Amino acid sequence: MTDLPATELSASTRLCAVLGHPIRHSASPAMQNAGIAALGLDWRYVAFDVHPDHLRQAIEGARAMRFVGLNLTVPHKLLAMDMVDALDETARQWGAVNTIRFEARMAGGEWRPVAAFGDEVPAEVRAVGFNTDADGLLRALREDLDFEPRGSRVVLLGAGGAGRVAALKLAAERAAQLFLLNRTRAKAEALATEISARYPKVKVEIGYPDARRVDLLLNATSLGLKRSDPIPMELTRLPLNQVDAVYDMVYRPAFTRLLEAARATGCRVANGLGMLLHQGTRALEVWTGRPAPAEAMRQALRRNVYGV
Ligand code: ATR
């Protein structure tokens, strides 16, 4: 499919942007502009390299210029928690903001998304923080692996920012048992404590599972980004023929060594492109209030990341 033609730039064109540091390799502009074009919106989505020291000013600038919204990526997601005027339940739940929606105050006091106004946006605008990462992961697990968390046994590799959100989301969706593995054991322990406090019905253990089947093995470490990276676990302690599905949050390269080994063993496999896609579809939905054109966005993303 060729991209739908974008509306012509004019003085009415509205902006959204992703802020990160670095940002040069972000696929979000390609993906979001395809979605915006498919919806026929007179918007553009751009990317800015913003140093963390300037994040507050950048958010203020976007507010002043009546941006529709922002996405935030590394290293801004935690910092932004204190820089928005209100937090949606999703941001509160996961303790991080990856999406900001600007909202304007109507004469009656009610807040409405800036996107809902034409050229006349009311003077008072607030920034509301959302988090679409957890929902994006869940959509991707369902769509790409046909995986349903409820009652499942999951092995999670990595207890950094991404691993934490994944573990908490799986617990919130009532996974039965989570096994956490992380190079720095103390971080896995802190995460296990948090899960047990928030979701006491979920069994959480540090370390490899017993010999029973595992429904999902999820890599949330950064291992795999480099071709020379080893598989982020010991295959002798968790043979892949004991695992039904493997999800690797890494999407570049398309097949990490972990995914190649899992595919060769016959596991269902998927890489992190679906999560990237669906944190994006969800963000576009937060801004527009309309279902996102996921297929147009997926194709643009694939083209941007893999050139196909
Ligand atoms: P992100 O936001 O992508 O999760 P992060 O918070 O820096 O980034 O987390 C990176 C994850 O990859 C962590 O689980 C990290 O393990 P540590 O908590 O021990 O740092 C893991 N990781 C990174 N490099 C690794 C390596 N060489 N071996 C094993 N794990 C690694």
PDB file of all heavy atoms in Angstrom, residues 45-63:
ATOM      1  N   TYR A  45       2.952  14.940  12.701  1.00  0.00           N
ATOM      2  CA  TYR A  45       3.623  14.390  13.886  1.00  0.00           C
ATOM      3  C   TYR A  45       5.120  14.471  13.633  1.00  0.00           C
ATOM      4  O   TYR A  45       5.621  13.916  12.653  1.00  0.00           O
ATOM      5  CB  TYR A  45       3.174  12.938  14.060  1.00  0.00           C
ATOM      6  CG  TYR A  45       3.710  12.232  15.291  1.00  0.00           C
ATOM      7  CD1 TYR A  45       2.873  11.974  16.368  1.00  0.00           C
ATOM      8  CD2 TYR A  45       5.027  11.776  15.349  1.00  0.00           C
ATOM      9  CE1 TYR A  45       3.339  11.291  17.487  1.00  0.00           C
ATOM     10  CE2 TYR A  45       5.498  11.107  16.467  1.00  0.00           C
ATOM     11  CZ  TYR A  45       4.647  10.858  17.525  1.00  0.00           C
ATOM     12  OH  TYR A  45       5.098  10.182  18.632  1.00  0.00           O
ATOM     13  N   VAL A  46       5.824  15.187  14.484  1.00  0.00           N
ATOM     14  CA  VAL A  46       7.260  15.385  14.283  1.00  0.00           C
ATOM     15  C   VAL A  46       8.038  14.890  15.511  1.00  0.00           C
ATOM     16  O   VAL A  46       7.438  14.492  16.508  1.00  0.00           O
ATOM     17  CB  VAL A  46       7.586  16.875  14.003  1.00  0.00           C
ATOM     18  CG1 VAL A  46       7.054  17.293  12.642  1.00  0.00           C
ATOM     19  CG2 VAL A  46       7.003  17.767  15.081  1.00  0.00           C
ATOM     20  N   ALA A  47       9.364  14.893  15.394  1.00  0.00           N
ATOM     21  CA  ALA A  47      10.210  14.396  16.484  1.00  0.00           C
ATOM     22  C   ALA A  47      11.196  15.478  16.901  1.00  0.00           C
ATOM     23  O   ALA A  47      11.736  16.185  16.052  1.00  0.00           O
ATOM     24  CB  ALA A  47      10.973  13.160  16.020  1.00  0.00           C
ATOM     25  N   PHE A  48      11.420  15.601  18.205  1.00  0.00           N
ATOM     26  CA  PHE A  48      12.387  16.572  18.713  1.00  0.00           C
ATOM     27  C   PHE A  48      13.335  15.904  19.696  1.00  0.00           C
ATOM     28  O   PHE A  48      12.893  15.172  20.588  1.00  0.00           O
ATOM     29  CB  PHE A  48      11.681  17.723  19.446  1.00  0.00           C
ATOM     30  CG  PHE A  48      10.819  18.570  18.563  1.00  0.00           C
ATOM     31  CD1 PHE A  48       9.442  18.539  18.698  1.00  0.00           C
ATOM     32  CD2 PHE A  48      11.377  19.392  17.600  1.00  0.00           C
ATOM     33  CE1 PHE A  48       8.635  19.331  17.881  1.00  0.00           C
ATOM     34  CE2 PHE A  48      10.582  20.179  16.775  1.00  0.00           C
ATOM     35  CZ  PHE A  48       9.205  20.146  16.915  1.00  0.00           C
ATOM     36  N   ASP A  49      14.619  16.176  19.518  1.00  0.00           N
ATOM     37  CA  ASP A  49      15.609  15.732  20.493  1.00  0.00           C
ATOM     38  C   ASP A  49      15.624  16.765  21.617  1.00  0.00           C
ATOM     39  O   ASP A  49      16.046  17.902  21.412  1.00  0.00           O
ATOM     40  CB  ASP A  49      16.983  15.625  19.816  1.00  0.00           C
ATOM     41  CG  ASP A  49      17.983  14.895  20.695  1.00  0.00           C
ATOM     42  OD1 ASP A  49      17.921  15.061  21.934  1.00  0.00           O
ATOM     43  OD2 ASP A  49      18.821  14.158  20.147  1.00  0.00           O
ATOM     44  N   VAL A  50      15.130  16.361  22.772  1.00  0.00           N
ATOM     45  CA  VAL A  50      15.036  17.286  23.905  1.00  0.00           C
ATOM     46  C   VAL A  50      15.852  16.729  25.071  1.00  0.00           C
ATOM     47  O   VAL A  50      15.604  15.605  25.533  1.00  0.00           O
ATOM     48  CB  VAL A  50      13.559  17.465  24.344  1.00  0.00           C
ATOM     49  CG1 VAL A  50      13.472  18.302  25.608  1.00  0.00           C
ATOM     50  CG2 VAL A  50      12.748  18.098  23.225  1.00  0.00           C
ATOM     51  N   HIS A  51      16.823  17.493  25.521  1.00  0.00           N
ATOM     52  CA  HIS A  51      17.604  17.085  26.685  1.00  0.00           C
ATOM     53  C   HIS A  51      16.685  17.098  27.907  1.00  0.00           C
ATOM     54  O   HIS A  51      15.809  17.974  28.021  1.00  0.00           O
ATOM     55  CB  HIS A  51      18.777  18.063  26.877  1.00  0.00           C
ATOM     56  CG  HIS A  51      19.740  17.615  27.922  1.00  0.00           C
ATOM     57  ND1 HIS A  51      19.524  17.838  29.264  1.00  0.00           N
ATOM     58  CD2 HIS A  51      20.897  16.925  27.819  1.00  0.00           C
ATOM     59  CE1 HIS A  51      20.533  17.302  29.944  1.00  0.00           C
ATOM     60  NE2 HIS A  51      21.378  16.750  29.092  1.00  0.00           N
ATOM     61  N   PRO A  52      16.877  16.141  28.841  1.00  0.00           N
ATOM     62  CA  PRO A  52      16.011  16.108  30.028  1.00  0.00           C
ATOM     63  C   PRO A  52      15.955  17.442  30.783  1.00  0.00           C
ATOM     64  O   PRO A  52      14.910  17.796  31.342  1.00  0.00           O
ATOM     65  CB  PRO A  52      16.636  15.020  30.906  1.00  0.00           C
ATOM     66  CG  PRO A  52      17.448  14.188  29.992  1.00  0.00           C
ATOM     67  CD  PRO A  52      17.800  14.994  28.787  1.00  0.00           C
ATOM     68  N   ASP A  53      17.047  18.212  30.750  1.00  0.00           N
ATOM     69  CA  ASP A  53      17.050  19.510  31.438  1.00  0.00           C
ATOM     70  C   ASP A  53      16.039  20.478  30.829  1.00  0.00           C
ATOM     71  O   ASP A  53      15.670  21.476  31.461  1.00  0.00           O
ATOM     72  CB  ASP A  53      18.434  20.177  31.361  1.00  0.00           C
ATOM     73  CG  ASP A  53      19.455  19.458  32.223  1.00  0.00           C
ATOM     74  OD1 ASP A  53      19.046  18.570  32.996  1.00  0.00           O
ATOM     75  OD2 ASP A  53      20.653  19.779  32.106  1.00  0.00           O
ATOM     76  N   HIS A  54      15.635  20.208  29.592  1.00  0.00           N
ATOM     77  CA  HIS A  54      14.724  21.137  28.895  1.00  0.00           C
ATOM     78  C   HIS A  54      13.329  20.554  28.691  1.00  0.00           C
ATOM     79  O   HIS A  54      12.516  21.133  27.983  1.00  0.00           O
ATOM     80  CB  HIS A  54      15.310  21.534  27.529  1.00  0.00           C
ATOM     81  CG  HIS A  54      16.625  22.235  27.661  1.00  0.00           C
ATOM     82  ND1 HIS A  54      17.690  21.988  26.830  1.00  0.00           N
ATOM     83  CD2 HIS A  54      17.055  23.159  28.552  1.00  0.00           C
ATOM     84  CE1 HIS A  54      18.725  22.731  27.208  1.00  0.00           C
ATOM     85  NE2 HIS A  54      18.362  23.454  28.250  1.00  0.00           N
ATOM     86  N   LEU A  55      13.078  19.416  29.314  1.00  0.00           N
ATOM     87  CA  LEU A  55      11.798  18.749  29.057  1.00  0.00           C
ATOM     88  C   LEU A  55      10.613  19.617  29.483  1.00  0.00           C
ATOM     89  O   LEU A  55       9.631  19.758  28.749  1.00  0.00           O
ATOM     90  CB  LEU A  55      11.750  17.381  29.785  1.00  0.00           C
ATOM     91  CG  LEU A  55      10.455  16.600  29.591  1.00  0.00           C
ATOM     92  CD1 LEU A  55      10.215  16.280  28.113  1.00  0.00           C
ATOM     93  CD2 LEU A  55      10.469  15.314  30.415  1.00  0.00           C
ATOM     94  N   ARG A  56      10.740  20.233  30.658  1.00  0.00           N
ATOM     95  CA  ARG A  56       9.622  21.049  31.148  1.00  0.00           C
ATOM     96  C   ARG A  56       9.322  22.200  30.170  1.00  0.00           C
ATOM     97  O   ARG A  56       8.169  22.453  29.824  1.00  0.00           O
ATOM     98  CB  ARG A  56       9.940  21.599  32.544  1.00  0.00           C
ATOM     99  CG  ARG A  56       8.749  22.206  33.259  1.00  0.00           C
ATOM    100  CD  ARG A  56       9.143  22.758  34.626  1.00  0.00           C
ATOM    101  NE  ARG A  56       9.493  21.739  35.588  1.00  0.00           N
ATOM    102  CZ  ARG A  56       8.610  21.048  36.329  1.00  0.00           C
ATOM    103  NH1 ARG A  56       7.321  21.272  36.178  1.00  0.00           N
ATOM    104  NH2 ARG A  56       9.010  20.147  37.197  1.00  0.00           N
ATOM    105  N   GLN A  57      10.386  22.845  29.702  1.00  0.00           N
ATOM    106  CA  GLN A  57      10.193  23.953  28.751  1.00  0.00           C
ATOM    107  C   GLN A  57       9.561  23.453  27.444  1.00  0.00           C
ATOM    108  O   GLN A  57       8.723  24.137  26.858  1.00  0.00           O
ATOM    109  CB  GLN A  57      11.539  24.592  28.402  1.00  0.00           C
ATOM    110  CG  GLN A  57      12.141  25.421  29.505  1.00  0.00           C
ATOM    111  CD  GLN A  57      13.614  25.646  29.221  1.00  0.00           C
ATOM    112  OE1 GLN A  57      14.442  24.779  29.509  1.00  0.00           O
ATOM    113  NE2 GLN A  57      13.945  26.790  28.638  1.00  0.00           N
ATOM    114  N   ALA A  58       9.979  22.259  27.017  1.00  0.00           N
ATOM    115  CA  ALA A  58       9.445  21.727  25.752  1.00  0.00           C
ATOM    116  C   ALA A  58       7.944  21.446  25.895  1.00  0.00           C
ATOM    117  O   ALA A  58       7.161  21.745  24.986  1.00  0.00           O
ATOM    118  CB  ALA A  58      10.194  20.457  25.357  1.00  0.00           C
ATOM    119  N   ILE A  59       7.558  20.887  27.028  1.00  0.00           N
ATOM    120  CA  ILE A  59       6.127  20.608  27.247  1.00  0.00           C
ATOM    121  C   ILE A  59       5.347  21.924  27.303  1.00  0.00           C
ATOM    122  O   ILE A  59       4.275  22.059  26.715  1.00  0.00           O
ATOM    123  CB  ILE A  59       5.925  19.770  28.536  1.00  0.00           C
ATOM    124  CG1 ILE A  59       6.540  18.369  28.359  1.00  0.00           C
ATOM    125  CG2 ILE A  59       4.434  19.657  28.888  1.00  0.00           C
ATOM    126  CD1 ILE A  59       6.581  17.526  29.638  1.00  0.00           C
ATOM    127  N   GLU A  60       5.933  22.911  27.996  1.00  0.00           N
ATOM    128  CA  GLU A  60       5.270  24.223  28.074  1.00  0.00           C
ATOM    129  C   GLU A  60       5.125  24.853  26.691  1.00  0.00           C
ATOM    130  O   GLU A  60       4.104  25.450  26.368  1.00  0.00           O
ATOM    131  CB  GLU A  60       6.063  25.169  28.994  1.00  0.00           C
ATOM    132  CG  GLU A  60       5.880  24.873  30.469  1.00  0.00           C
ATOM    133  CD  GLU A  60       4.419  24.655  30.824  1.00  0.00           C
ATOM    134  OE1 GLU A  60       3.590  25.530  30.538  1.00  0.00           O
ATOM    135  OE2 GLU A  60       4.104  23.581  31.365  1.00  0.00           O
ATOM    136  N   GLY A  61       6.179  24.725  25.883  1.00  0.00           N
ATOM    137  CA  GLY A  61       6.139  25.277  24.528  1.00  0.00           C
ATOM    138  C   GLY A  61       5.045  24.617  23.697  1.00  0.00           C
ATOM    139  O   GLY A  61       4.295  25.291  22.987  1.00  0.00           O
ATOM    140  N   ALA A  62       4.944  23.317  23.806  1.00  0.00           N
ATOM    141  CA  ALA A  62       3.921  22.586  23.043  1.00  0.00           C
ATOM    142  C   ALA A  62       2.525  23.012  23.493  1.00  0.00           C
ATOM    143  O   ALA A  62       1.622  23.193  22.675  1.00  0.00           O
ATOM    144  CB  ALA A  62       4.111  21.083  23.227  1.00  0.00           C
ATOM    145  N   ARG A  63       2.387  23.214  24.791  1.00  0.00           N
ATOM    146  CA  ARG A  63       1.094  23.680  25.310  1.00  0.00           C
ATOM    147  C   ARG A  63       0.768  25.070  24.735  1.00  0.00           C
ATOM    148  O   ARG A  63      -0.334  25.328  24.254  1.00  0.00           O
ATOM    149  CB  ARG A  63       1.151  23.743  26.837  1.00  0.00           C
ATOM    150  CG  ARG A  63      -0.154  24.207  27.485  1.00  0.00           C
ATOM    151  CD  ARG A  63       0.074  25.092  28.704  1.00  0.00           C
ATOM    152  NE  ARG A  63       0.842  24.461  29.746  1.00  0.00           N
ATOM    153  CZ  ARG A  63       0.314  23.833  30.787  1.00  0.00           C
ATOM    154  NH1 ARG A  63      -0.978  23.740  30.903  1.00  0.00           N
ATOM    155  NH2 ARG A  63       1.085  23.308  31.712  1.00  0.00           N
TER     156      ARG A  63
END
